[in-house]
Amino acid sequence: MNRFWLETYGCQMNKAESNALEEEMLDSGWIPADAAEEADLVILNTCSVRLSAENRIWGRLGYFKKLKETHPHTLAVMGCMAERLKEDLKKAVPAVDVIVGTFQKADFARLLRQAASARHALTLEDPCKEIYAFARRHSRKNDFRAFVPIMHGCDNFCSYCIVPYVRGREVSRDPHSIFEEIAGLLQAGRVKEITLLGQNVNSYRFQDMDFPGLLDALFQRFPRAPWIRFLTSHPKDFSPALIACMKNHREMCRAIHLPVQHGSDTILRAMNRQYTRGAYLALAERIRGELPDVLLSTDILIGFPGETEKDFQDTLDLMNEVRFDDAFTYYYNPREGTAAWNMQDTVCEKLKLERLQTLIALQREISRTRKRQRLGQTVRVLAEEISKKNSAEILGRTEGDEMVVFPGSTKKFPGGFHTVRLDELRGNTFYAHEIEVEK
Ligand code: SF4
């Protein structure tokens, strides 16, 4: 028996890469264990972006170290934390058997195939070649939502961010390989939504092809493409051509995640974000002008070294001006190896928390007001599942990723499109009634 247990932490890219690994393992004879405690091989696909993510993983490593005393197994750590700490990780937790850095993920699948057929222990020699290889497929067979990586790594070096150090420089995927993966997904017939993934998707460039060029080519090749989304964008690379492309292709979900990170020019400069507050505001206005039905979300990082009360107020003002539909807010933690690690962490924990609470309260109020303004609208919803609370209700999401509940028969298969009218808002969830179901 070769039973594996795979735990994934962090971003969608990690999840897509874990899916790819899992598919390869299934193909080469490994079977998923019902519980970690029954596995012959435990793999943790890790994240290094925030301290809290790494702390959770340290906790899990402690658990598996203890488990090894009663249930011997191979313990493998892959992904960003493995890349960041390399052999130091093994020194800190000797129970770790295999370290698989970001650039070795493709090799790891090959190794697992050999280990399964030869039934020998895993060893990973010939480490890091520093060339990232994209897997050929990244989605689970029966999902109706698929994630397709189109680029990897980041060249931006925001001063607080570990990503360029653990995922390396930007590498764009060959469009033929992207289209081959999408063709496979569409051929299977179930996939209704594809998210194109990358640390900075809109800086995609393969030979002469940029991101809008890739999207145009995608719709030319697949004129009946399902909903298409992309994650994540950098404001400095969000070109007028990309806005025009979204306007031209109605299948592109009217949802843009555009991390602003801060509202003060001083802090944006210290963060090395490479745009000003004014440039961001102009871009947001242009996007909303050209795509009036778009839902705009963002990331905001508060408590960066040197942040004054005035800088914080500038951020609140920017939020009030843009009126984001949603915002992911967090406060600064120094990450070793980044440029900001050497800056003095001037904002104390208590103040960071206070400012974060203020941000969250403001965003909650803005989100709620914007959602209320949508009541009465007719929208298209992708059905996800039958509600666990009420089997006569269907749970779905709009193209802006908002949750919608509407009455429906349990016989209706999830993964279909429905047209509904938004009637009521309870918390963050819309309640709606169905107008039409697409055949
Ligand atoms: S753009 Fe900045 S925040 Fe985003 S991955 Fe690159 S360095 Fe990190």
Side-chain angles (χ1 to χ4, degrees), residues 133-147:
F134 289 94
R136 284 180 47 236
R137 55 195 168 134
H138 297 87
S139 298
R140 288 164 201 272
K141 273 195 186 100
N142 288 323
D143 282 353
F144 55 88
R145 286 207 159 90
F147 294 89

Side-chain angles (χ1 to χ4, degrees), residues 154 156-158 160-161 163-164 199 234 273:
C154 181
N156 289 321
F157 289 91
C158 298
Y160 52 85
C161 183
V163 167
Q199 267 75 40
H234 194 295
R273 287 294 291 174

Side-chain angles (χ1 to χ4, degrees), residues 380-399:
R380 212 166 162 227
V381 166
L382 180 55
E384 268 185 2
E385 57 183 340
I386 303 302
S387 163
K388 289 183 184 69
K389 288 188 201 147
N390 181 349
S391 60
E393 287 181 334
I394 294 178
L395 226 91
R397 282 182 192 271
T398 65
E399 54 185 301

